[in-house]
Amino acid sequence: MPKPSLWSPLDLESLIKYAYLFGSVCPAKGMGEAIVVLGVNKDIMISHLEQISKATEQSRHTVVIMDGASWHCDDIGNEFNNVSIINSPLFSRAEPY
């Protein structure tokens, strides 16, 4: 018998195995945008870019650096005139401090 929950009569822990956090930050302003989703694909990434685009001030431009994930396609930023995508090289890594 599922245990009751404030949000649902079902035990949500048994239904949700993973959640993904898409996040961005503006170091100059100390602000960020984020969404939490249960799966990832190109459409969800475009939704996150749309969120970033709307949060970007009119006179500003945003640069998003992405890794080689399958949903980080070359064309996902095409519909935003204030967002540019930079794809990091495959197998790139940050050097330790």
Side-chain angles (χ1 to χ4, degrees), residues 24-26 29 31-33 48-64 80-84:
S24 63
V25 64
C26 174
K29 298 251 182 197
M31 297 171 51
E33 295 293 323
H48 183 52
L49 291 175
E50 180 179 17
Q51 181 183 25
I52 294 168
S53 176
K54 287 178 180 177
T56 302
E57 295 175 19
Q58 279 190 337
S59 62
R60 306 299 242 166
H61 193 86
T62 297
V63 176
V64 178
F80 308 105
N81 60 9
N82 63 344
V83 176
S84 293

Side-chain angles (χ1 to χ4, degrees), residues 1-17:
M1 174 108 183
K3 60 185 176 183
S5 166
L6 176 63
W7 303 103
S8 166
L10 299 174
D11 176 10
L12 294 179
E13 291 177 21
S14 66
L15 297 175
I16 301 172
K17 299 291 183 192

Side-chain angles (χ1 to χ4, degrees), residues 37-49:
V37 294
L38 299 179
V40 292
N41 61 34
K42 182 178 175 179
D43 292 333
I44 289 172
M45 192 65 224
I46 291 172
S47 294
H48 183 52
L49 291 175

